Amino acid sequence: MKLQIFKTISTTLLIAVLLFFANKLILHCTCFHQNFEQYSSSLESIYSVFFGFSVLILTTLIIVNSINKDIVGMTFLLITTVKAGISLFIFSEIISSSNKNSVEKMNFFIVFIIFLAIETLITIRLLNKKQ
């Protein structure tokens, strides 16, 4: 089980790092790189918070899968809902800002969706494994 947790977290870390640098490259290649000073949360903090959530969620799901495979799906839904609420609370300044800088909002939601997709794909892999 520890090997599976390590493998899952290292895969998630690799994907997150690659996507972070791709995101940073896209922002620097476009005209949005001048607005970095105006952002309320840095790109690094958004990625690190969502990576932390992913590690917590995936570790919990692997442990739940080893105990009772029947409740993995419901656990995923519950934890993801809690993650969304906490994320909206932590980054409420980004979401509630009426600033014309919609790039920061768009970036937040794209990162949220990327990590949600990673967690969903790994959960699907967990559920499709034969016991």
Side-chain angles (χ1 to χ4, degrees):
M1 182 171 71
K2 288 182 181 182
L3 180 64
Q4 185 180 13
I5 292 173
F6 176 75
K7 181 181 170 186
T8 303
I9 290 173
S10 61
T11 303
T12 306
L13 178 64
L14 177 67
I15 293 169
V17 167
L18 291 174
L19 290 173
F20 169 75
F21 285 117
N23 193 343
K24 198 105 163 143
L25 181 69
I26 289 170
L27 287 176
H28 278 290
C29 290
T30 59
C31 61
F32 301 121
H33 71 279
Q34 294 128 354
N35 298 334
F36 278 154
E37 294 83 30
Q38 299 172 357
Y39 289 176
S40 58
S41 296
S42 67
L43 193 61
E44 292 84 4
S45 66
I46 293 173
Y47 269 90
S48 62
V49 166
F50 282 119
F51 177 72
F53 279 137
S54 291
V55 167
L56 189 66
I57 288 171
L58 295 173
T59 304
T60 304
L61 290 176
I62 291 170
I63 292 170
V64 166
N65 188 42
S66 68
I67 296 170
N68 186 0
K69 190 172 182 152
D70 295 332
I71 60 172
V72 172
M74 294 304 264
T75 305
F76 174 73
L77 290 173
L78 177 69
I79 293 175
T80 303
T81 304
V82 170
K83 172 189 135 179
I86 293 172
S87 299
L88 292 175
F89 178 74
I90 291 173
F91 297 109
S92 62
E93 189 175 330
I94 295 173
I95 297 165
S96 65
S97 70
S98 60
N99 192 354
K100 292 183 180 181
N101 188 6
S102 63
V103 175
E104 188 176 18
K105 286 182 189 180
M106 183 176 62
N107 201 24
F108 168 77
F109 285 113
I110 288 173
V111 173
F112 180 82
I113 290 169
I114 287 171
F115 277 97
L116 181 63
I118 292 170
E119 294 160 6
T120 303
L121 291 174
I122 293 175
T123 304
I124 290 170
R125 271 190 10 209
L126 276 175
L127 290 172
N128 286 335
K129 279 189 178 178
K130 298 194 189 254
Q131 290 183 339

